[in-house]
Amino acid sequence: MLAPDRYFTPIPTVRATAQALYDEFGSLPLVCPHGHVDPKLLALDEPFSNPAALIVIPDHYIVRMLYSQGVPMESLGIPRLDGGAVETDPRAIWQRFADHFYLFRGTPSGAWLAHEFEGVFGIDEPLTSATAMRIYDRIEASLRRPEFRPRALFERFKIEVLCTTDAATDTLEFHRQIRESGWSGVVRPTFRPDLAINIRHPQFAAELGRLSAATGEDITSYAAYIRALESRRAFFKSMGATATDHAAETPFTAELSAADVNALFGRALAGKATEADARAFTGHMLMEMARMSTEDGLVMQLHPGSDRTHNAAIFEKFGPDRGCDIPIQTEYTRNLKPLLNKYGNDTRLTLVLFTLDETTYSRELAPLAGHYPCLRLGPPWWFHDSLEGMTRFRYQVTETAGIYNTAGFNDDTRAFPSIPARHDVSRRVDANFLADLVARHIVSLDDARQMMRALTYELAKKTYKLD
Amino acid sequence: MLAPDRYFTPIPTVRATAQALYDEFGSLPLVCPHGHVDPKLLALDEPFSNPAALIVIPDHYIVRMLYSQGVPMESLGIPRLDGGAVETDPRAIWQRFADHFYLFRGTPSGAWLAHEFEGVFGIDEPLTSATAMRIYDRIEASLRRPEFRPRALFERFKIEVLCTTDAATDTLEFHRQIRESGWSGVVRPTFRPDLAINIRHPQFAAELGRLSAATGEDITSYAAYIRALESRRAFFKSMGATATDHAAETPFTAELSAADVNALFGRALAGKATEADARAFTGHMLMEMARMSTEDGLVMQLHPGSDRTHNAAIFEKFGPDRGCDIPIQTEYTRNLKPLLNKYGNDTRLTLVLFTLDETTYSRELAPLAGHYPCLRLGPPWWFHDSLEGMTRFRYQVTETAGIYNTAGFNDDTRAFPSIPARHDVSRRVDANFLADLVARHIVSLDDARQMMRALTYELAKKTYKLD
Amino acid sequence: MLAPDRYFTPIPTVRATAQALYDEFGSLPLVCPHGHVDPKLLALDEPFSNPAALIVIPDHYIVRMLYSQGVPMESLGIPRLDGGAVETDPRAIWQRFADHFYLFRGTPSGAWLAHEFEGVFGIDEPLTSATAMRIYDRIEASLRRPEFRPRALFERFKIEVLCTTDAATDTLEFHRQIRESGWSGVVRPTFRPDLAINIRHPQFAAELGRLSAATGEDITSYAAYIRALESRRAFFKSMGATATDHAAETPFTAELSAADVNALFGRALAGKATEADARAFTGHMLMEMARMSTEDGLVMQLHPGSDRTHNAAIFEKFGPDRGCDIPIQTEYTRNLKPLLNKYGNDTRLTLVLFTLDETTYSRELAPLAGHYPCLRLGPPWWFHDSLEGMTRFRYQVTETAGIYNTAGFNDDTRAFPSIPARHDVSRRVDANFLADLVARHIVSLDDARQMMRALTYELAKKTYKLD
């Protein structure tokens, strides 16, 4: 059912060029520098349980769409924090999913799932209410076979390297198990210290406790806190990490004086930090993280601009990452100025910027990345990791920043079996974009071939120092 | 002169699919859930007076464009509030309009008028300075014939249902006359209480007086005021209304405490409300309107983001709705959070959101509508109700929200004879969008056919409960 | 190497129409109403020195891109303010440029340079590391020939009129020389008083001194200051100027009372103005400049929205205009309201608006220009003066404002030999846009021909009163 020329422009000459570029470069190994696959999966290499648990329940793209049309979270088996009853029959969940599968027409989830069903599981009919149980049976049967275990899929997917995302205090135990197992797959951790930096988070004190335990630092001062974070970065690096990652509501950066940051950190330790303190501390710590990156060489990633608990009722009942995250307007030019003025001309720093606010592509991000040597633009993120979203990114960014100030593709996914589909969509978008440039005589075919190789493979490796 | 394949992409394969989708679904009856046609027109069913009065003078799209090129409002016959002299010869107005008709090249007004001239009045030559009087004569002759009376056009246009927009204190007398006339046309009112909620408006006190008179409530307290509004909603519902509509400069929502709202309303009754009071009261009343909608089932519409009196001189001389409305940046994620946190998970509520700020499509509106069960996205509004505007909407919204969280089409017009043209443009845009998805193998042709039926007909009926 | 149909849509029918429109109108004389060519160039008419000095060093588009990939400014021969050592060998600079020329793939600089190399210098091979010296030699040899002197190029480029940008206190000595030389080329100054208005600028006092000297006004009061500016405007007008130009961080406008502006100007004279004073004064002076334009008829241009010293280190080391300018979000609806309410209905005023914030095209600028008689929209500016940028502008602006409220093309360049390339790209974009409208039956071919003539030639002449 998957058309070989899917997603390409329906102008025959352009389509043929896109197909040729895709055919030449579309099957290069997958470089996955940023994502949320659980390393436990690859450490234990146990079979996946069932289609609903694998495909429906953990996928917030799927859950949010069904919920938006009135399907209760409980009926999809989303666990309640209070332990209340939810649907436990995976077949009932799958049927409900299939009944509403039409909602995904024209969405990236629709495209990824089509690829996953046919490309990974060999399903040869569309998912509908009528075919739901037959398809469930086929996927379930596959999952019992050894070639559908995580490591086998990793190899079949031709993943060259997979980076996970891990809290600053994570023991990286599963990463250690993978490395010591003798398996050849390359899985790297990424240092994500959000919880250790968010001084108003209910778990901040507990996270500092773990940070102390992991580093032996007695974190009673800002200086000790900084030493502990530097120590963890060194540990992550020793375990293969090449990057850090940071979420923040805004990309605000500003350095505090030593006196101010000491006083502020004191309030944080005492549990007396205000909202203003938290904002100031995040802005300060982004500067600190950039400083550390100039020293230890870890690539810094910044993912700002999401209100992650927009729907309080759902957040309280089901917890985070259930689709209640809503983007907010984001400003980079002024917010990043302090950081860029201090570290932006330092070629030891690589800072990869992401956004959920597409208006910043041509107005702020491309001009910034087209000037500061430290900057690279991450691929379209989250809601924009889609055919149209990635296409808009290329057309709005390339003229000012070129392609060489962009960072290649991230799949950014929790959904392990969707990885090939996501890279495939990205590669098709890039092939199509380049074919259009060729057709309009903006670049030559030979230039386009070099650009295609860069976009699909080289830029991700180079930006994230994965060579 | 109207090409049968107008507005479709000039790629032959895509155009053919678009044409096929349009041919199959383009002549479905017109569902008109939101607009500004005067019900008096259909109640009295009198002939239209002349081409200038029908087509030029009341159309703020036309007036603003001519004014922007230095054509005085007076010379177009726009009545002055002070009764000062303006052009009274409809032929002179029409000639002036024709002399400047080239200004509409590439605009939706150009497209609508082309359709209206040929499709409604059978004109077979372009409007120019030279043809102006000949075309005037032909339209004028048509208007004298019975088949060009409002009800006859309503039937010829295949309007299944037409919703008007009416003040909270409107007697709905003309709606009553239509219902009692025995005519089969379905015309429904919509409850629009803006004037009764805008406590700083010069006519607020007078509107409260009308509200008292209409409901028998002695509105000396906030509680009585709320009872009066609930009573009017019930009356509108009894007269066929299925929806309410609300304008506001921003989508700000926030609930006031009982004490605060009582005190604020007291200041409003005393004529002492401040600008801050007005803003707070509007934000509070949007919450109240959502609450009432959960109870009475009326669909809630919100149209924010216009500065409606930008040009003070024109406003003072000619009054509102003369083309001096200019959009402002609009923020939904944070502004709607209080309302959505209180009512957003309640499946009894339908809240249809509109915007004049296209940047919110992919950043805020699609993520919100792709999560909250109460939300639906209204079609592109006003300046964006155009070929490119509607196309951008579909490409920017569908990947995150799908099409099933959108509300179908609104013609939103005062210009009764332009209704078929507006629906036709919308249907062609949707056919073209879907044909592109088919050509790129994003959806199957059969899916596209189901989607086309939804977009042209079903979604409007379902969203606005017009079944 | 330059394909005759470059940049046109690869749909054969549309491409053929675009080509026909381009063939008919693409070689009309160049009208250049806004740019930054140094009039000294055309006054002295001396040969250009060498390819690096002509093409690389002064072009901030080129410098910023190379710098973004880690190429030091010094290695490109950018002079340091402190006189420190930089690369002085033009061949070494050219080789470095060629080594990184691949960075410009898909950028407007890539397109302009391709045109310039082949169209102006007759180069018939692509610039690469290997061809660098050969191409250098050929350009250098050309530059020694009389037909590559500035005036000869001006004539060969078919420039009908070229407007420069000049400080309020400029003597216009080179303009005088050009006029008195007997040469037939038309070069006009433009009045740009930014430095005389920016009361916080380190050179403000010195500029006032020059303003006094030039006008004989003793600028000890605001009244004298205004008289001096009016006097300079009259002088510029006498030297052929038809326009003024104004940069500002935001388009904020607001009139100060006589008392307030006098007091504020007193603080400015005393060197005690605050940041808030500077903002208020700029907002006030934009109103004053509009007032003067209604009186002397000079067309007013406004270029807001750039943070022009974003990278402090580069600014301090190399000075302004080195590519460290980053756009900021810009708001027009509310900021321009005071100015438009006072002068917007006055048909003696022409105010041409520019933006670096594309989100304002459809939300604010097109609605404003589609209503106020004084407004025209300048072409896409700076980062957006590109194939995709200009295309987005047309598609986002035309439906609301039409094409007749836009101002034709500006090349806005310092790079004299790139002028034909820039106009050519613009004309190709417009031909392509119009061909698409024809193919979709939105306008007739005959309408498109008239629109093409307007866009390439007439609108610039009319808007800037260059008839």
Side-chain angles (χ1 to χ4, degrees):
Chain A
M1 296 182 296
L2 291 175
D5 59 357
R6 65 190 180 278
Y7 315 149
F8 298 148
T9 301
I11 303 170
T13 51
V14 184
R15 181 170 278 191
T17 305
Q19 186 79 59
L21 289 167
Y22 176 81
D23 287 347
E24 184 173 358
F25 300 100
S27 56
L28 281 170
L30 308 188
V31 177
C32 308
H34 174 74
H36 299 271
V37 168
D38 189 343
K40 185 177 173 187
L41 204 73
L42 293 156
L44 305 187
D45 197 32
E46 292 173 344
F48 293 105
S49 56
N50 68 62
L54 176 63
I55 292 170
V56 180
I57 299 171
D59 188 331
H60 58 80
Y61 288 84
I62 293 175
V63 169
R64 71 181 294 140
M65 182 66 95
L66 269 61
Y67 186 70
S68 79
Q69 288 279 318
V71 178
M73 296 258 174
E74 288 86 347
S75 76
L76 296 169
I78 310 299
R80 288 174 54 155
L81 296 182
D82 66 2
V86 302
E87 179 65 66
T88 55
D89 176 5
R91 288 178 175 273
I93 293 166
W94 188 262
Q95 184 67 50
R96 212 159 275 134
F97 168 54
D99 293 345
H100 292 87
F101 194 62
Y102 71 95
L103 297 175
F104 297 99
R105 288 170 179 158
T107 71
S109 294
W112 296 329
L113 290 163
H115 183 121
E116 189 175 333
F117 290 158
E118 181 169 338
V120 180
F121 296 106
I123 307 298
D124 55 3
E125 59 185 343
L127 181 63
T128 65
S129 294
T131 64
M133 285 305 106
R134 203 154 58 224
I135 289 176
Y136 185 97
D137 290 339
R138 289 193 55 171
I139 296 177
E140 194 182 43
S142 290
L143 295 180
R144 283 192 226 106
R145 289 153 57 193
E147 63 265 38
F148 284 85
R149 291 211 178 171
R151 290 186 178 180
L153 287 177
F154 187 104
E155 288 158 11
R156 178 169 144 205
F157 294 167
K158 289 182 60 183
I159 295 174
E160 183 172 310
V161 52
L162 178 79
C163 299
T164 64
T165 300
D166 313 271
T169 56
D170 194 293
T171 60
L172 305 185
E173 187 49 37
F174 293 116
H175 284 88
R176 186 179 312 276
Q177 285 186 29
I178 294 168
R179 299 181 104 189
E180 293 175 354
S181 72
W183 177 53
S184 63
V186 179
V187 182
R188 294 175 181 274
T190 299
F191 180 75
R192 172 119 164 200
D194 292 352
L195 189 54
I197 286 176
N198 185 350
I199 58 178
R200 293 266 297 177
H201 195 284
Q203 290 189 37
F204 176 67
E207 181 71 356
L208 280 202
R210 286 186 288 267
L211 193 57
S212 273
T215 60
E217 287 287 349
D218 182 19
I219 306 183
T220 53
S221 71
Y222 175 70
Y225 168 74
I226 291 295
R227 281 196 305 273
L229 289 173
E230 288 173 337
S231 160
R232 291 307 290 170
R233 289 173 67 111
F235 170 66
F236 269 69
K237 206 172 157 183
S238 76
M239 292 296 292
T242 69
T244 73
D245 186 24
H246 308 272
E249 194 163 295
T250 77
F252 169 75
T253 62
E255 199 164 33
L256 296 168
S257 70
D260 283 351
V261 76
N262 284 331
L264 192 162
F265 194 73
R267 289 195 294 279
L269 286 178
K272 292 179 177 168
T274 63
E275 279 295 337
D277 284 342
R279 183 172 182 273
F281 194 68
T282 300
H284 174 83
M285 287 304 297
L286 288 175
M287 301 280 291
E288 276 298 272
M289 289 291 143
R291 193 261 306 160
M292 293 181 199
S293 279
T294 64
E295 294 170 5
D296 64 21
L298 291 177
V299 172
M300 181 174 176
Q301 298 173 90
L302 181 57
H303 285 90
S306 175
D307 180 341
R308 289 180 184 261
T309 57
H310 197 271
N311 191 334
I314 295 294
F315 185 75
E316 281 157 25
K317 207 165 169 187
F318 299 100
D321 296 328
R322 293 304 177 193
C324 320
D325 316 80
I326 309 291
I328 51 176
Q329 232 181 65
T330 306
E331 202 283 335
Y332 292 84
T333 303
R334 286 168 167 153
N335 277 320
L336 286 176
K337 193 168 177 175
L339 188 153
L340 292 171
N341 268 276
K342 188 148 188 185
Y343 304 110
N345 297 299
D346 190 327
T347 52
R348 295 174 303 170
L349 176 63
T350 300
L351 171 55
V352 186
L353 296 178
F354 294 82
T355 197
L356 296 174
D357 182 347
E358 293 184 298
T359 70
T360 64
Y361 285 164
S362 75
R363 185 181 58 220
E364 302 172 30
L365 294 176
L368 285 165
H371 168 62
Y372 283 98
C374 73
L375 289 181
R376 294 296 179 269
L377 301 185
W381 176 33
W382 201 331
F383 301 105
H384 309 309
D385 177 11
S386 61
L387 289 168
E388 300 305 327
M390 292 192 283
T391 301
R392 284 195 293 270
F393 176 78
R394 287 283 166 228
Y395 282 97
Q396 290 176 27
V397 156
T398 304
E399 293 188 316
T400 292
I403 69 158
Y404 297 96
N405 285 308
T406 65
F409 183 65
N410 291 177
D411 54 68
D412 194 15
T413 190
R414 284 170 175 74
F416 184 67
S418 77
I419 287 177
R422 289 169 191 248
H423 285 260
D424 186 71
V425 170
S426 168
R427 289 170 176 194
R428 288 174 180 276
V429 167
D430 286 332
N432 197 57
F433 167 68
L434 294 170
D436 176 55
L437 299 194
V438 171
R440 294 192 289 149
H441 310 290
I442 295 168
V443 301
S444 69
L445 181 58
D446 194 57
D447 280 0
R449 290 177 58 249
Q450 292 181 50
M451 294 166 86
M452 183 69 188
R453 187 173 182 86
L455 291 173
T456 52
Y457 184 72
E458 293 168 345
L459 284 169
K461 283 186 79 166
K462 187 177 171 202
T463 302
Y464 286 91
K465 305 184 179 176
L466 294 169
D467 297 323
Chain B
M1 296 182 296
L2 291 175
D5 59 356
R6 64 190 182 277
Y7 315 148
F8 298 149
T9 301
I11 303 169
T13 50
V14 184
R15 182 170 275 192
T17 305
Q19 186 78 59
L21 289 167
Y22 176 81
D23 287 348
E24 184 172 358
F25 300 99
S27 55
L28 280 170
L30 308 188
V31 177
C32 308
H34 174 74
H36 299 271
V37 168
D38 188 345
K40 184 177 172 187
L41 204 73
L42 293 155
L44 305 187
D45 198 33
E46 293 173 345
F48 292 106
S49 55
N50 66 64
L54 176 63
I55 292 171
V56 181
I57 299 171
D59 188 330
H60 58 80
Y61 288 86
I62 292 176
V63 170
R64 71 180 296 140
M65 181 66 95
L66 269 61
Y67 186 70
S68 78
Q69 289 278 318
V71 179
M73 296 258 174
E74 288 86 348
S75 76
L76 296 169
I78 310 299
R80 287 175 55 155
L81 296 182
D82 66 2
V86 302
E87 178 65 66
T88 54
D89 175 5
R91 287 179 176 270
I93 294 167
W94 187 261
Q95 184 67 51
R96 211 159 275 134
F97 168 54
D99 293 344
H100 292 87
F101 194 61
Y102 71 94
L103 297 173
F104 298 98
R105 289 171 178 155
T107 71
S109 294
W112 297 330
L113 289 164
H115 184 121
E116 189 174 332
F117 289 159
E118 182 170 337
V120 180
F121 296 105
I123 309 296
D124 55 4
E125 59 185 343
L127 182 62
T128 65
S129 295
T131 63
M133 285 306 106
R134 204 156 55 226
I135 289 176
Y136 186 96
D137 289 339
R138 288 193 56 172
I139 297 177
E140 194 182 42
S142 290
L143 295 181
R144 281 192 227 109
R145 289 154 57 195
E147 62 265 39
F148 284 86
R149 291 214 176 167
R151 289 187 180 180
L153 288 177
F154 188 104
E155 286 159 14
R156 179 167 143 205
F157 294 167
K158 287 182 64 181
I159 296 175
E160 182 172 312
V161 53
L162 178 78
C163 299
T164 63
T165 300
D166 313 272
T169 56
D170 195 292
T171 60
L172 305 184
E173 187 49 36
F174 293 115
H175 284 88
R176 187 180 311 277
Q177 285 185 28
I178 294 167
R179 301 181 103 187
E180 292 175 352
S181 71
W183 178 52
S184 64
V186 180
V187 182
R188 294 174 181 273
T190 300
F191 181 76
R192 173 117 164 201
D194 292 352
L195 187 56
I197 287 175
N198 185 349
I199 57 178
R200 292 267 296 180
H201 196 285
Q203 292 188 39
F204 177 67
E207 180 72 357
L208 280 203
R210 287 186 287 266
L211 194 57
S212 274
T215 60
E217 287 286 349
D218 181 20
I219 306 183
T220 52
S221 70
Y222 175 70
Y225 168 75
I226 290 295
R227 280 196 305 273
L229 289 173
E230 288 174 336
S231 160
R232 292 307 291 170
R233 290 173 66 111
F235 170 65
F236 269 67
K237 207 172 155 181
S238 76
M239 292 295 292
T242 67
T244 73
D245 186 25
H246 308 271
E249 195 164 295
T250 77
F252 169 74
T253 61
E255 198 163 36
L256 296 168
S257 70
D260 284 349
V261 75
N262 285 330
L264 193 161
F265 194 72
R267 288 195 294 280
L269 285 179
K272 294 182 176 166
T274 63
E275 279 295 337
D277 283 342
R279 182 171 184 273
F281 193 68
T282 299
H284 173 83
M285 287 305 298
L286 289 174
M287 302 279 292
E288 276 298 272
M289 289 291 142
R291 192 262 305 160
M292 293 180 199
S293 279
T294 63
E295 294 172 4
D296 63 20
L298 290 178
V299 172
M300 181 174 176
Q301 298 173 89
L302 182 56
H303 285 91
S306 176
D307 180 341
R308 289 181 184 258
T309 56
H310 197 271
N311 191 333
I314 296 295
F315 185 75
E316 281 157 24
K317 208 163 166 189
F318 299 99
D321 296 328
R322 294 302 176 192
C324 319
D325 318 79
I326 309 290
I328 51 176
Q329 234 182 65
T330 307
E331 202 283 337
Y332 293 84
T333 304
R334 286 168 168 152
N335 276 320
L336 287 177
K337 193 168 176 173
L339 188 155
L340 292 171
N341 268 275
K342 187 147 188 185
Y343 304 110
N345 297 299
D346 189 328
T347 51
R348 294 175 303 171
L349 176 64
T350 300
L351 171 55
V352 185
L353 296 177
F354 294 81
T355 197
L356 295 174
D357 182 348
E358 293 183 297
T359 70
T360 63
Y361 286 165
S362 75
R363 184 181 60 221
E364 302 172 31
L365 293 177
L368 285 165
H371 168 61
Y372 284 98
C374 73
L375 289 181
R376 293 297 180 269
L377 301 185
W381 177 33
W382 201 331
F383 302 105
H384 309 311
D385 176 12
S386 61
L387 289 168
E388 299 304 327
M390 291 191 285
T391 301
R392 285 197 291 272
F393 176 78
R394 286 284 165 228
Y395 281 97
Q396 291 176 28
V397 156
T398 305
E399 294 188 317
T400 291
I403 67 159
Y404 298 96
N405 285 307
T406 65
F409 183 65
N410 290 178
D411 54 68
D412 195 13
T413 191
R414 282 170 177 75
F416 183 66
S418 77
I419 288 178
R422 290 168 188 249
H423 284 261
D424 187 69
V425 170
S426 168
R427 288 170 176 193
R428 288 174 181 275
V429 167
D430 286 332
N432 197 56
F433 167 69
L434 294 170
D436 176 55
L437 298 194
V438 171
R440 294 192 289 148
H441 309 291
I442 295 168
V443 302
S444 68
L445 181 58
D446 194 58
D447 280 0
R449 291 176 59 248
Q450 293 181 50
M451 294 166 86
M452 182 69 188
R453 187 174 183 84
L455 291 173
T456 50
Y457 185 72
E458 293 167 345
L459 284 168
K461 284 186 78 165
K462 188 176 170 203
T463 302
Y464 286 90
K465 306 183 180 176
L466 295 169
D467 298 323
Chain C
M1 297 180 295
L2 291 175
D5 58 357
R6 63 190 182 278
Y7 316 148
F8 297 148
T9 302
I11 303 169
T13 50
V14 184
R15 181 170 278 193
T17 304
Q19 186 79 59
L21 288 168
Y22 176 81
D23 289 346
E24 184 173 358
F25 300 99
S27 55
L28 280 171
L30 307 188
V31 177
C32 307
H34 175 75
H36 299 270
V37 168
D38 189 344
K40 186 179 172 186
L41 204 71
L42 292 157
L44 305 187
D45 197 32
E46 293 173 343
F48 293 105
S49 56
N50 67 63
L54 176 63
I55 293 171
V56 180
I57 299 171
D59 188 331
H60 58 78
Y61 288 86
I62 292 176
V63 169
R64 70 181 296 144
M65 181 66 95
L66 268 62
Y67 186 70
S68 79
Q69 287 280 316
V71 178
M73 296 258 173
E74 288 86 348
S75 75
L76 295 170
I78 310 299
R80 286 174 55 155
L81 295 183
D82 66 2
V86 303
E87 179 66 65
T88 54
D89 176 3
R91 287 179 176 272
I93 293 166
W94 188 263
Q95 184 67 51
R96 211 159 275 135
F97 168 55
D99 293 345
H100 292 88
F101 193 63
Y102 71 96
L103 297 174
F104 297 99
R105 289 170 178 156
T107 72
S109 295
W112 297 328
L113 290 164
H115 183 120
E116 189 175 333
F117 290 159
E118 183 170 336
V120 180
F121 297 105
I123 308 297
D124 56 3
E125 58 185 344
L127 181 64
T128 65
S129 296
T131 64
M133 285 306 106
R134 204 155 55 224
I135 290 175
Y136 185 96
D137 291 338
R138 290 191 56 170
I139 296 177
E140 195 183 40
S142 291
L143 294 181
R144 283 193 227 106
R145 289 155 55 195
E147 62 264 40
F148 284 86
R149 292 214 177 167
R151 289 186 181 181
L153 287 177
F154 188 103
E155 288 158 13
R156 178 167 144 206
F157 294 167
K158 288 182 62 182
I159 296 175
E160 182 172 311
V161 54
L162 178 77
C163 299
T164 64
T165 301
D166 313 271
T169 57
D170 195 293
T171 60
L172 305 186
E173 188 49 38
F174 293 115
H175 284 87
R176 187 179 311 275
Q177 285 185 28
I178 294 168
R179 300 181 105 189
E180 293 175 354
S181 71
W183 177 52
S184 65
V186 180
V187 182
R188 295 174 181 273
T190 300
F191 180 75
R192 173 118 162 199
D194 293 353
L195 189 54
I197 287 175
N198 185 349
I199 57 178
R200 293 267 296 177
H201 195 285
Q203 291 188 38
F204 176 66
E207 181 72 356
L208 280 202
R210 287 186 288 266
L211 194 56
S212 274
T215 60
E217 288 285 351
D218 182 20
I219 307 184
T220 53
S221 70
Y222 174 70
Y225 168 76
I226 289 294
R227 279 195 306 273
L229 290 172
E230 288 173 336
S231 162
R232 292 307 291 170
R233 291 173 66 112
F235 172 65
F236 269 67
K237 205 172 158 183
S238 75
M239 293 295 292
T242 68
T244 72
D245 186 25
H246 308 272
E249 194 163 296
T250 76
F252 169 74
T253 61
E255 199 163 35
L256 296 168
S257 70
D260 284 350
V261 77
N262 284 331
L264 193 161
F265 193 72
R267 289 194 295 278
L269 286 178
K272 293 182 175 165
T274 63
E275 280 294 338
D277 283 342
R279 182 173 183 274
F281 193 68
T282 300
H284 173 82
M285 286 305 298
L286 289 175
M287 302 279 291
E288 276 298 271
M289 289 291 141
R291 192 260 308 158
M292 293 180 200
S293 279
T294 62
E295 294 171 5
D296 64 20
L298 291 177
V299 172
M300 181 174 175
Q301 299 174 88
L302 182 57
H303 286 90
S306 175
D307 181 341
R308 289 180 185 258
T309 57
H310 197 270
N311 190 333
I314 295 294
F315 184 75
E316 281 158 24
K317 209 164 168 188
F318 300 99
D321 297 327
R322 293 304 177 192
C324 319
D325 317 80
I326 309 290
I328 51 175
Q329 234 181 66
T330 305
E331 202 283 336
Y332 293 84
T333 303
R334 286 167 168 153
N335 277 320
L336 288 176
K337 193 168 177 174
L339 189 153
L340 292 171
N341 268 276
K342 187 146 187 186
Y343 304 110
N345 297 299
D346 189 328
T347 51
R348 294 174 303 170
L349 175 64
T350 300
L351 172 55
V352 185
L353 296 177
F354 294 82
T355 197
L356 295 173
D357 183 348
E358 293 183 296
T359 69
T360 63
Y361 286 164
S362 75
R363 185 182 59 219
E364 301 171 32
L365 294 177
L368 285 165
H371 169 61
Y372 283 98
C374 73
L375 290 180
R376 294 296 179 271
L377 301 185
W381 176 32
W382 201 332
F383 302 105
H384 310 310
D385 176 12
S386 61
L387 289 168
E388 299 305 327
M390 291 192 284
T391 302
R392 284 196 292 270
F393 175 79
R394 287 284 166 228
Y395 282 97
Q396 290 177 27
V397 156
T398 304
E399 293 188 316
T400 292
I403 67 157
Y404 298 96
N405 285 307
T406 65
F409 182 63
N410 290 178
D411 53 68
D412 195 14
T413 189
R414 280 170 178 74
F416 183 66
S418 77
I419 287 177
R422 290 168 191 247
H423 285 260
D424 187 69
V425 170
S426 168
R427 289 169 177 195
R428 288 174 181 276
V429 167
D430 286 332
N432 198 57
F433 167 68
L434 293 170
D436 177 55
L437 299 195
V438 171
R440 294 191 289 148
H441 310 291
I442 295 167
V443 300
S444 68
L445 180 57
D446 193 59
D447 279 359
R449 291 177 59 247
Q450 293 181 49
M451 294 165 85
M452 183 68 187
R453 187 173 182 85
L455 292 173
T456 52
Y457 185 71
E458 293 168 344
L459 285 168
K461 284 186 79 165
K462 188 177 171 202
T463 302
Y464 287 90
K465 305 184 180 176
L466 295 168
D467 297 324

